[in-house]
Amino acid sequence: MSKQEVRFSGEWKKREALKEAPKKEEAAALQKALPASGKSVLEKNYINLGKSQMTKRLQPSLNWKATFDFKEHKSLLRDTQEEKHGGRLERSGPPVSPRRSQLVRKSAEKIEEIISESSSESEEDEEPPDHYQEANAGLPSEYWQIQKLVKYLKGGNQTATVIALCSMQDFNLAQETCQLAIRDVGGLEVLINLLDTDEVKCKIGSLKILKEISHNPQIRRNIVDLGGLPIMVNILDSPHKSLKCLAAETIANVAKFRRARRAVRRHGGITKLVALLDCAQNSGEPAQSSLYDARDVEVARCGALALWSCSKSYENKEAIRKAGGIPLLAGLLKTSHENMLIPVVGTLQECASEESYRTAIKAERIIENLVKNLNSENEQLQEHCAMAIYQCAEDKETRDLVRLHGGLKPLASLLNNTDNKERLAAVTGAIWKCSISKENVTKFREYKAIETLVGLLTDQPEEVLVNVVGALGECCQEYENRVLVRKCGGIQPLVNLLIGINQTLLVNVTKAVGACALEPESMMIIDRLDGVRLLWSLLKNPHPDVKASAAWALCPCIQNAKDAGEMVRSFVGGLELVVNLLRSDNKEVLASVCAAITNIAKDQENLAVITDHGVVPLLSKLANTNNDKLRRHLAEAISRCCMWGRNRAAFGEYKAVAPLVRYLKSNDTSVHQATAQALYQLSEDADNCIIMHENGAVKLLLDMVGSPDQDLQEAAAGCIYNIRKLALATEKARYT
Amino acid sequence: MNRKKLQKLTDTLTKNCKHFNKFEVNCLINLFYNLVGEVTERQGITIGLDRNAFRNILHMTFGMTDDMIMDRVFRGFDKDNDGYVNISEWIYGLSVFLRGTLEEKMKYCFEVFDLNGDGFISKEEMFHMLKNSLLKQPSEEDPDEGIKDLVEITLKKMDHDHDGKLSFTDYEQAVREETLLLEAFGPCLPDPKNHPQLFHSHPRADGNSHLVWPRKDGNCI
């Protein structure tokens, strides 16, 4: 609560006591209504949703709160689509900031984008308690003064209006009470009407005020409701540069929620804002009278600010691109004005989540400039550049470009400043995505980044951890790095992170642990720390990505653990759990579980157990698939499972054989190899041979006998041998 | 005026006045003589625009409507206070009027607003200038209360040395902080929205720039 007190001005001290009472009541009431959220609800509802709020939420803690639960998000989507004001939303933790949601990369990016908007929108949807009506004490003197000024605005000529507008600027317009006072006495309508007149001075004065008060979320919505946005968009056409600047800056403040962004686009605002970016077009005009003058650079900066706010919406991103925004943004990147660079990079970073942008970004040589600006002194600029690189580095060429322009070194050195958590999250994100390329990983090792990353595994907020672990997961694809991570003591913190609720984090951690498990010594540590059991319990996690990732990670664990069979058996209900996962709908889960089963089935006893649990019919049911990844792992699993009891015959009975033959027609050679192995194993059973023969397996297998892959040759040959052997035996039987 | 004298005049004026080039000064001189009309030049008689003619121009060309302000503008142009705006006063005045720098405009506006010329804008002067700026509410008991309040507000904003009146220093500081206050007491400068072409030099095809004066009989070559 102390933060609130600080923000009231000195005059108000005597009223504080009176205000405290009603506020506390409201706080209590709100807290009862939203049980889980706690005091962060009130805090997030106040105006300064700026940096201070972000850093507060990013405090390191080991209480992993839920940030992304897919089911909850479906309900979030539904709620905000109805645009209920002050709708109650069920959430179990603090709201997801738009930035966080960006860092969660899923395939359905559009949904994610809507989710990020809806979560920011829902923040604003919950209207903060209107202090005014609640406080029974008399209204502060500012209220009356403002009311008087608005009266002069309504009833005065141009001269009186200008005087009143100038006087109004003297109030502390950042204070919510002043902002709401202006609104409550009808000031917003007057200010917006003034924008519609021809009087330039009045427009300037009015915009100066609107620009300040539109930092308040409520006021923003009021402005849009009163139809302020189309008028402001029209002002962007004015020949007076200072008017353009003010209008753009006000739009930047107002367009922070979805309805406003849509309104800007619908009234042609995006095209006009993009036009503002065109400095060259504005230059060459003689100096005008100082009242209306503004430098061209300033105009472009304000345009960029407005575009940054607007670009959070998917349709706006498209509109910006179609209006030719990218080359203009690229041009502006070449300046050295930090104030200009931040909104430009901010806009690029928002838009770079779209594929179409990434192509254009590569073409415009933007990466070079982004890397250059990583070296700037300004932390915010560094943060946004890193975020932009994170977004763009999905693409291989970009990753190479980052390396070629020397971007990896500054990224690595920025890892050492851990104070600015948002910047750290952006930098680690960029490093994560860049690490997908092996050459970059080599460079990072040179710069000692891996050690630093291991150091960041503890005591960091979730946004940072997700990226750090992701980066380590990519780095550990290399043998030397696995050893390095182990030597730095990275295994323990990684295993510790296996307990948690954040899905992205879990996916990344499992991948990293799985990569480490490829090294036998690391595997020993993992085993000692009970990591395998933790991975196994993640198979119960509701989210399919986590399940799949855990299953993939289990494969090397089982391969490399000592007494793997014993270990697997020690997990109560573990084998049954795995077999039941074969009932899932998700292809990735199925593929990963098949791979795990392949490893489990290397141990005879375990194979017996899973056969009892019905693995054969379940595997057979999956056989009819076109997904090559699934086919490959399924075939491998089947070939392993054949080595027990009647399983060979059972697979035939469950009609697994015929579909398997079809796999041979796939284009993927790893599928061929796995299938040939499976068919070879299955062909030990006579009935299976007949089915294979009927389905034309022989011809397909003959082709593979000539393949360069030795294992494939052997398996194909072995299979044909068995089929022929049966055929010969049948022939012989006929003649005897 | 004969050609030689005209030439000399043009040169002097162009040299002294910073915002118009030679061709523009030429245009303005021609315009001036057009507006003044046919008058024979005689010693001792000043040729110039009298108050009414000048106010006419302010009204027709620049769209000004406030009588009191227009009067003050005339006084501002008429530096030697002889009741006529002669040719040099015309050129210098227009130079500030149309294209003055902020400093020039501030001085000019302050002179316009300082009704009694004592170097201070007093409360009474402010009241006088603002007295018609608010709509009179029929329900108001004291219609002047709003005006008095406006004066107080303005004084509070602009009076930095707290002596109850605005000196030029006060005014200048206030305008530097907030440019909108330049014409705080009334519109004494032309509004660029009306005739933007006056405020710039417009290069012509022959390489000379001219002034486009938006009147059918005042158009320059």
Side-chain angles (χ1 to χ4, degrees):
Chain A
M1 275 309 197
S2 56
K3 271 234 168 356
Q4 270 65 358
E5 283 158 33
V6 165
R7 287 176 29 229
F8 289 113
S9 73
E11 293 171 45
W12 289 46
K13 281 218 169 70
K14 59 181 180 212
R15 302 200 185 274
E16 261 178 23
L18 292 160
K19 276 205 158 348
E20 276 296 304
K23 249 201 306 160
K24 279 199 177 113
E25 277 176 61
E26 290 158 43
L30 256 180
Q31 275 179 337
K32 275 190 227 134
L34 296 166
S37 319
K39 75 170 188 314
S40 59
V41 173
L42 270 185
E43 285 176 352
K44 77 174 186 284
N45 281 334
Y46 285 108
I47 323 157
N48 289 339
L49 291 174
K51 279 256 154 154
S52 56
Q53 285 281 334
M54 292 287 250
T55 12
K56 236 190 320 178
R57 270 187 239 130
L58 291 180
Q59 287 309 313
S61 89
L62 282 176
N63 299 331
W64 311 125
K65 296 217 183 109
T67 50
F68 248 103
D69 186 358
F70 215 73
K71 289 203 193 101
E72 274 181 5
H73 272 278
K74 291 228 168 96
S75 67
L76 256 179
L77 258 179
R78 256 183 272 122
D79 275 357
T80 52
Q81 273 167 5
E82 294 166 5
E83 286 220 278
K84 266 192 284 200
H85 264 277
R88 285 284 130 84
L89 292 163
E90 268 133 47
R91 236 179 288 163
S92 60
V96 181
S97 72
R99 176 89 47 68
R100 270 169 157 183
S101 58
Q102 255 192 348
L103 289 178
V104 176
R105 283 206 145 266
K106 305 273 180 211
S107 49
E109 279 187 320
K110 239 196 237 185
I111 300 183
E112 181 189 284
E113 196 272 328
I114 298 176
I115 288 173
S116 74
E117 268 185 28
S118 65
S119 50
S120 59
E121 170 138 44
S122 53
E123 273 179 50
E124 295 160 11
D125 255 307
E126 296 177 34
E127 289 199 5
D130 218 343
H131 303 296
Y132 263 11
Q133 278 107 38
E134 308 287 349
N136 0 8
L139 295 160
S141 62
E142 270 119 352
Y143 181 89
W144 303 113
Q145 290 167 19
I146 289 179
Q147 192 186 48
K148 216 175 32 173
L149 287 177
V150 172
K151 196 174 73 175
Y152 298 146
L153 283 182
K154 288 187 195 166
N157 68 359
Q158 200 202 64
T159 313
T161 304
V162 171
I163 293 177
L165 286 171
C166 292
S167 174
M168 209 182 277
Q169 283 180 49
D170 285 339
F171 289 100
N172 182 1
L173 293 177
Q175 208 181 61
E176 184 173 38
T177 34
C178 284
Q179 296 162 345
L180 295 181
I182 296 180
R183 180 192 67 176
D184 292 341
V185 300
L188 276 185
E189 286 92 341
V190 182
L191 288 171
I192 294 179
N193 283 337
L194 282 172
L195 292 182
D196 223 355
T197 64
D198 280 334
E199 304 292 330
V200 179
K201 293 205 280 279
C202 295
K203 288 202 263 206
I204 292 180
S206 167
L207 277 174
K208 282 188 181 171
I209 296 178
L210 284 171
K211 183 180 83 158
E212 292 306 318
I213 62 178
S214 55
H215 281 119
N216 180 317
Q218 281 184 68
I219 304 272
R220 281 179 216 150
R221 303 189 108 82
N222 296 133
I223 292 178
V224 176
D225 291 335
L226 290 169
L229 270 179
I231 304 179
M232 285 190 237
V233 167
N234 284 336
I235 293 182
L236 291 174
D237 283 332
S238 153
H240 302 291
K241 287 190 221 164
S242 53
L243 261 184
K244 283 205 246 238
C245 286
L246 282 169
E249 278 184 289
T250 314
I251 292 178
N253 288 340
V254 174
K256 293 208 164 130
F257 63 103
R258 194 163 54 167
R259 199 156 45 101
R261 295 182 196 126
R262 205 166 50 211
V264 172
R265 185 181 70 252
R266 289 208 177 131
H267 289 100
I270 302 289
T271 330
K272 295 189 194 186
L273 287 171
V274 171
L276 290 185
L277 295 178
D278 202 349
C279 265
Q281 162 191 317
N282 287 333
S283 69
E285 274 179 22
Q288 290 191 293
S289 85
S290 48
L291 187 55
Y292 308 116
D293 191 19
R295 292 168 59 221
D296 295 325
V297 169
E298 186 61 20
V299 174
R301 183 189 76 91
C302 297
L305 269 175
L307 282 175
W308 187 11
S309 294
C310 290
S311 63
K312 293 197 167 67
S313 130
Y314 170 72
E315 292 94 352
N316 284 355
K317 292 184 225 221
E318 278 302 295
I320 294 175
R321 186 174 61 85
K322 287 192 187 137
I326 304 181
L328 291 170
L329 287 169
L332 289 174
L333 262 187
K334 301 196 175 92
T335 74
S336 46
H337 300 269
E338 268 166 15
N339 286 333
M340 170 78 88
L341 284 172
I342 292 177
V344 169
V345 178
T347 312
L348 281 172
Q349 165 248 93
E350 277 293 341
C351 294
S353 57
E354 300 303 312
E355 185 79 47
S356 46
Y357 267 85
R358 295 202 275 263
T359 330
I361 284 177
K362 266 189 297 195
E364 296 286 337
R365 309 172 54 117
I366 288 179
I367 304 290
E368 193 177 335
N369 280 311
L370 286 176
V371 167
K372 190 177 76 173
N373 285 313
L374 274 178
N375 289 320
S376 120
E377 297 280 308
N378 184 311
E379 289 187 5
Q380 213 193 0
L381 184 54
Q382 289 173 321
E383 180 193 330
H384 290 299
C385 287
M387 265 308 261
I389 292 179
Y390 161 78
Q391 300 274 23
C392 294
E394 287 292 315
D395 171 87
K396 179 178 192 314
E397 249 188 85
T398 308
R399 295 198 283 269
D400 292 334
L401 279 172
V402 173
R403 183 179 70 253
L404 289 170
H405 290 298
L408 300 178
K409 188 152 191 211
L411 281 175
S413 57
L414 279 173
L415 277 181
N416 294 317
N417 314 16
T418 57
D419 296 323
N420 183 333
K421 296 299 177 192
E422 283 113 335
R423 185 181 59 173
L424 189 58
V427 168
T428 46
I431 292 180
W432 173 17
K433 292 297 167 174
C434 287
S435 311
I436 298 178
S437 285
K438 292 212 182 316
E439 301 92 336
N440 292 355
V441 174
T442 320
K443 283 273 173 190
F444 279 135
R445 190 168 70 242
E446 249 178 72
Y447 299 135
K448 304 265 181 263
I450 302 192
E451 289 91 324
T452 325
L453 283 171
V454 171
L456 289 174
L457 279 175
T458 41
D459 246 0
Q460 296 295 335
E462 256 170 23
E463 282 95 332
V464 176
L465 281 174
V466 170
N467 297 336
V468 168
V469 177
L472 284 173
E474 294 297 334
C475 292
C476 287
Q477 303 291 321
E478 297 281 316
Y479 172 75
E480 299 100 345
N481 297 336
R482 290 195 276 262
V483 178
L484 184 53
V485 167
R486 174 169 55 83
K487 291 201 172 135
C488 294
I491 308 283
Q492 168 117 34
L494 278 175
V495 173
N496 287 342
L497 288 174
L498 281 172
I499 18 173
I501 328 179
N502 182 326
Q503 270 136 17
T504 336
L505 183 55
L506 285 174
V507 169
N508 287 352
V509 171
T510 46
K511 184 169 178 187
V513 172
C516 290
L518 289 166
E519 210 240 328
E521 279 198 52
S522 305
M523 185 57 219
M524 284 199 307
I525 306 180
I526 295 175
D527 197 5
R528 193 166 24 97
L529 294 171
D530 223 7
V532 187
R533 185 180 60 79
L534 291 171
L535 277 175
W536 212 289
S537 6
L538 283 177
L539 290 175
K540 291 188 262 192
N541 187 292
H543 200 275
D545 284 350
V546 177
K547 283 203 252 251
S549 190
W552 289 119
L554 279 172
C555 298
C557 287
I558 301 173
Q559 267 173 348
N560 293 338
K562 274 205 308 219
D563 302 327
E566 193 55 50
M567 174 184 75
V568 166
R569 272 193 297 281
S570 70
F571 301 134
V572 178
L575 290 171
E576 190 177 348
L577 171 62
V578 168
V579 172
N580 282 330
L581 281 175
L582 287 173
R583 298 179 208 273
S584 154
D585 289 328
N586 183 305
K587 294 279 185 283
E588 190 69 21
V589 172
L590 290 172
S592 57
V593 170
C594 288
I597 288 179
T598 312
N599 283 296
I600 293 173
K602 287 182 188 158
D603 177 283
Q604 285 286 304
E605 248 190 88
N606 291 340
L607 179 48
V609 175
I610 57 175
T611 310
D612 284 340
H613 284 305
V615 74
V616 173
L618 286 171
L619 284 176
S620 309
K621 229 177 0 163
L622 297 174
N624 261 322
T625 170
N626 286 327
N627 182 318
D628 274 337
K629 194 171 185 185
L630 178 54
R631 281 174 166 183
R632 172 183 159 201
H633 293 284
L634 181 59
E636 282 175 2
I638 291 179
S639 56
R640 275 278 162 206
C641 290
C642 280
M643 303 186 204
W644 174 257
R646 322 185 42 248
N647 285 358
R648 288 191 179 91
F651 275 123
E653 283 160 26
Y654 283 108
K655 309 204 191 310
V657 182
L660 271 179
V661 176
R662 278 202 296 280
Y663 291 4
L664 292 171
K665 295 192 193 152
S666 138
N667 290 327
D668 188 338
T669 43
S670 50
V671 173
H672 295 169
Q673 198 198 54
T675 313
Q677 283 285 355
L679 287 175
Y680 171 53
Q681 294 293 336
L682 288 167
S683 63
E684 302 282 336
D685 174 275
D687 290 320
N688 290 345
C689 283
I690 298 174
I691 304 176
M692 285 186 222
H693 186 76
E694 279 171 6
N695 280 286
V698 179
K699 179 169 189 310
L700 295 163
L701 285 169
L702 272 173
D703 289 331
M704 290 181 196
V705 173
S707 131
D709 182 339
Q710 220 177 19
D711 293 321
L712 178 53
Q713 282 180 342
E714 275 188 49
C719 189
I720 296 178
Y721 166 74
N722 285 337
I723 299 177
R724 274 315 284 161
K725 203 168 73 169
L726 177 64
L728 281 173
T730 325
E731 292 265 336
K732 217 194 271 177
R734 212 186 286 168
Y735 288 122
T736 51
Chain B
M1 210 185 263
N2 67 27
R3 201 188 171 86
K4 201 164 167 212
K5 255 183 150 183
L6 189 63
Q7 186 74 343
K8 194 151 166 269
L9 182 63
T10 315
D11 289 337
T12 329
L13 288 172
T14 315
K15 200 160 42 142
N16 292 333
C17 144
K18 297 173 223 85
H19 301 297
F20 293 129
N21 62 34
K22 202 162 171 198
F23 300 100
E24 291 169 329
V25 171
N26 235 336
C27 275
L28 287 173
I29 293 178
N30 283 329
L31 180 63
F32 179 81
Y33 283 117
N34 274 333
L35 290 168
V36 165
E38 286 297 318
V39 175
T40 46
E41 193 168 327
R42 276 207 305 262
Q43 281 287 46
I45 308 264
T46 355
I47 296 177
L49 293 166
D50 68 358
R51 185 191 304 263
N52 281 329
F54 189 76
R55 277 170 50 147
N56 215 22
I57 295 170
L58 285 182
H59 183 64
M60 301 298 271
T61 311
F62 295 108
M64 288 184 158
T65 50
D66 186 333
D67 276 340
M68 186 184 58
I69 296 286
M70 288 202 275
D71 212 35
R72 296 294 309 158
V73 174
F74 177 76
R75 297 268 188 87
F77 269 63
D78 183 19
K79 297 231 183 303
D80 56 9
N81 262 328
D82 63 354
Y84 288 94
V85 172
N86 63 28
I87 182 77
S88 13
E89 287 170 345
W90 169 249
I91 302 286
Y92 291 135
L94 278 180
S95 158
V96 176
F97 201 64
L98 293 178
R99 297 190 188 170
T101 62
L102 187 59
E103 283 71 22
E104 290 172 352
K105 283 186 177 170
M106 282 198 282
K107 273 204 206 92
Y108 161 79
C109 290
F110 189 80
E111 273 170 20
V112 167
F113 295 141
D114 182 8
L115 300 179
N116 61 5
D118 66 350
F120 291 99
I121 305 179
S122 69
K123 270 203 220 178
E124 292 73 25
E125 290 171 340
M126 288 192 230
F127 187 89
H128 189 66
M129 289 187 279
L130 290 176
K131 71 176 186 261
N132 289 322
S133 63
L134 283 182
L135 275 177
K136 298 274 187 288
Q137 303 280 359
S139 58
E140 254 173 65
E141 288 176 2
D142 179 10
D144 289 341
E145 194 182 325
I147 313 282
K148 285 199 204 122
D149 195 29
L150 262 184
V151 171
E152 285 303 320
I153 290 174
T154 319
L155 205 58
K156 193 172 90 172
K157 187 144 176 82
M158 297 174 79
D159 185 16
H160 292 107
D161 55 13
H162 304 293
D163 58 357
K165 48 191 179 172
L166 291 182
S167 65
F168 181 67
T169 329
D170 288 335
Y171 173 77
E172 183 185 3
Q173 191 178 351
V175 173
R176 284 201 194 280
E177 280 170 21
E178 177 54 80
T179 330
L180 286 175
L181 289 173
L182 183 63
E183 295 171 82
F185 302 109
C188 55
L189 287 169
D191 194 340
K193 81 164 187 275
N194 289 332
H195 299 290
Q197 65 268 39
L198 281 171
F199 298 86
H200 304 309
S201 287
H202 290 270
R204 282 194 311 172
D206 59 3
N208 304 326
S209 44
H210 69 176
L211 199 65
V212 178
W213 193 266
R215 286 277 321 229
K216 29 190 201 311
D217 53 3
N219 248 323
C220 289
I221 1 160

